[in-house]
Amino acid sequence: MNNELKRCTLESLDDITDKIHDGTLFEGENEKLIKKLLFEEYAKMHIEGKKIGKCVCPNCCNKSIKRSHTIPRGMSLDIIAENKKVVMPIFVERYPVREYFIEAAEIGIGQASTFPGFCKKHELIFQTYEKRQEINKQDDVIKQLFRNVTYNCFILERRIELSKNIIERYKDIRNQAAYNYLKKSELKGMLKEVIISGEDKNIINLTFHQQELIDYYTKLEKYKMNLWKIIAGSDADITSVSVILDVLFPVSICGCTEIVFDDSEYVCSIDVVPSKKETLVTIGFYGEISSELYDIVKSRLNHPLTILNFIESTMVYGTDNWYLNPKVWTMLSDKRKERLISEMQNLGKSIFDEVPYSIFDDIRRYIVLNLGLKKKNIEHELEKMKI
């Protein structure tokens, strides 16, 4: 290699390294490579997530049905739907990531909260409350918790697989992007291919995120197994607090999240299940929780207003597994929708943080005007509806 060629090669390698580091390698024509990767891998995940497999119940080898509803369809989704549709948050699979990478979109109740989870035999577990059209027994609360956690385990498995595939394919498109860039340089006539080995900041970040998903999944799977032990008649270590509110909330939630309290991490599930003219709200935890955390949980469920704020906090800061009556979303101003969507990206907040904007204006107005709140509390709640 002559000196001039050596100089060009080293300068090009330095240039590529800088562009990988600052993210500009995937601009221009190379942006299409990232878009294609994301589109194909997310599409593959959605297709794989619809394939019938083995029943998710432990030690069951039966085939799952095509669509197991996590939220009871006839008991809940039918009640809150408008023309058999509900609104749910979706991640926008685009590159570069926009300021708002979450949007709200309509989905049919035949699809909402479904996955190829349980076999025909184990679907019958949930008939004890679906036939009655209400959950008012602790056994049924546990069954709905199991349904929720199992669904979220299934979703996490898909996301872990997605993460693995993106990391592997990223290495290939990094080589292609580097080649596309360098073919315009002084090396153009001699360049056949570019192979980059080793980890860059993107791979390090993706790998870290993947490990976070795996760790979370491991905890959630243990939670699921403890719930199953209780259903099977054994004792197991879980904590749950439920309340039935004599108000029909036009939303269903089947979410799981991790919270940090006093430097301890907890896996938490939240179920909001409307039926007839009432709504069940359940907060569940894997294992025991501290008395301080238990007091906080109880405080979120001790008054209609705190329950309202908790449901909104769960929707914005806790989970994307919620299904809302479309009219509720449509009635909000565009500015408020934008603010709520922006808040959904605030990863520094949890289900115990209050959302500064209202989602359920009608319910909030009724509570404020009829339950004898203090003036400062009334003003605080009405402020959430001003934009």
Side-chain angles (χ1 to χ4, degrees), residues 87-92 98-105 312 315-317 319-320 322 324 329 332-347 355-359 387:
V87 166
M88 67 173 292
I90 60 168
F91 286 97
V92 181
R98 304 181 318 161
E99 182 181 356
Y100 299 144
F101 61 92
I102 299 172
E103 291 180 358
E312 290 176 334
M315 294 171 68
V316 174
Y317 303 131
T319 180
D320 57 338
W322 51 261
L324 178 68
W329 187 254
L332 302 179
S333 69
D334 289 342
K335 190 172 183 180
R336 183 138 26 121
K337 289 176 190 173
E338 288 178 5
R339 296 279 181 89
L340 286 165
I341 287 172
S342 179
E343 280 296 310
M344 289 177 196
Q345 299 167 74
N346 190 337
L347 303 181
V355 182
Y357 314 106
S358 173
I359 298 175
I387 63 168

Side-chain angles (χ1 to χ4, degrees), residues 199-296:
E199 296 183 339
D200 59 34
K201 72 168 188 175
N202 294 320
I203 292 178
I204 290 170
N205 290 338
L206 287 167
T207 303
F208 178 78
H209 174 63
Q210 179 185 303
Q211 189 58 51
E212 283 188 317
L213 291 175
I214 292 170
D215 292 344
Y216 179 33
Y217 172 79
T218 301
K219 296 173 189 174
L220 207 57
E221 183 69 20
K222 289 178 181 177
Y223 185 14
K224 167 188 158 184
M225 293 305 298
N226 274 11
L227 290 165
W228 178 251
K229 285 178 184 177
I230 296 173
I231 292 171
S234 301
D235 291 330
D237 201 10
I238 71 149
T239 303
S240 70
V241 181
S242 297
V243 64
I244 295 175
L245 198 65
D246 291 330
V247 175
L248 177 63
F249 271 85
V251 66
S252 295
I253 302 176
C254 53
C256 292
T257 186
E258 279 189 293
I259 61 171
V260 177
F261 182 80
D262 282 350
D263 297 324
S264 295
E265 293 182 351
Y266 296 91
V267 173
C268 172
S269 61
I270 304 99
D271 285 276
V272 176
V273 185
S275 60
K276 298 178 182 177
K277 295 181 180 180
E278 61 187 30
T279 304
L280 170 78
V281 182
T282 302
I283 308 174
F285 291 89
Y286 166 57
E288 293 184 5
I289 62 175
S290 68
S291 58
E292 292 82 6
L293 178 55
Y294 185 79
D295 288 343
I296 289 176

Side-chain angles (χ1 to χ4, degrees), residues 9 15 19 28 62 87-88 141 152 172 181 194 206 318 324 347:
T9 303
D15 198 11
K19 287 192 169 294
N62 296 332
V87 166
M88 67 173 292
V141 169
N152 280 275
D172 292 333
Y181 177 76
V194 176
L206 287 167
L324 178 68
L347 303 181

Side-chain angles (χ1 to χ4, degrees), residues 27-190:
E27 291 180 350
E29 66 172 319
N30 285 338
E31 185 179 312
K32 295 177 183 177
L33 297 173
I34 287 285
K35 285 183 176 179
K36 184 171 184 290
L37 164 65
L38 293 176
F39 177 81
E40 291 178 351
E41 289 304 323
Y42 272 93
K44 188 191 301 181
M45 180 183 73
H46 292 314
I47 291 169
E48 291 295 319
K50 293 178 181 178
K51 288 184 178 178
I52 292 173
K54 219 167 61 164
C55 176
V56 291
C57 282
N59 304 317
C60 181
C61 296
N62 296 332
K63 279 188 177 180
S64 68
I65 65 171
K66 189 174 183 180
R67 290 178 188 163
S68 290
H69 274 86
T70 308
I71 300 292
R73 176 170 176 169
M75 176 178 148
S76 293
L77 291 173
D78 276 336
I79 293 173
I80 65 169
E82 198 74 37
N83 297 320
K84 297 191 179 298
K85 292 188 180 295
V86 288
V87 166
M88 67 173 292
I90 60 168
F91 286 97
V92 181
E93 295 144 14
R94 296 174 186 164
Y95 183 89
V97 174
R98 304 181 318 161
E99 182 181 356
Y100 299 144
F101 61 92
I102 299 172
E103 291 180 358
E106 286 193 351
I107 183 174
I109 58 174
Q111 299 278 348
S113 81
T114 61
F115 71 120
F118 301 99
C119 64
K120 290 181 180 179
K121 173 186 172 183
H122 286 116
E123 275 285 314
L124 297 176
I125 292 173
F126 315 111
Q127 288 300 303
T128 56
Y129 56 91
E130 287 200 26
K131 282 185 176 178
R132 290 197 315 271
Q133 298 283 293
E134 61 181 352
I135 299 175
N136 56 14
K137 296 180 180 179
Q138 183 61 21
D139 287 351
D140 293 333
V141 169
I142 294 296
K143 289 174 184 177
Q144 183 58 33
L145 283 173
F146 176 70
R147 210 175 191 178
N148 175 353
V149 175
T150 300
Y151 173 58
N152 280 275
C153 281
F154 179 87
I155 292 173
L156 268 175
E157 283 184 291
R158 305 282 83 72
R159 288 181 177 171
I160 290 168
E161 189 62 29
L162 170 70
S163 178
K164 290 177 181 176
N165 292 340
I166 286 177
I167 290 171
E168 286 308 308
R169 286 194 59 187
Y170 169 79
K171 295 172 184 176
D172 292 333
I173 67 165
R174 181 178 63 180
N175 292 338
Q176 183 61 51
Y179 174 82
N180 290 345
Y181 177 76
L182 290 177
K183 71 183 181 182
K184 299 172 185 175
S185 70
E186 297 176 62
L187 296 173
K188 160 168 137 177
M190 299 167 284

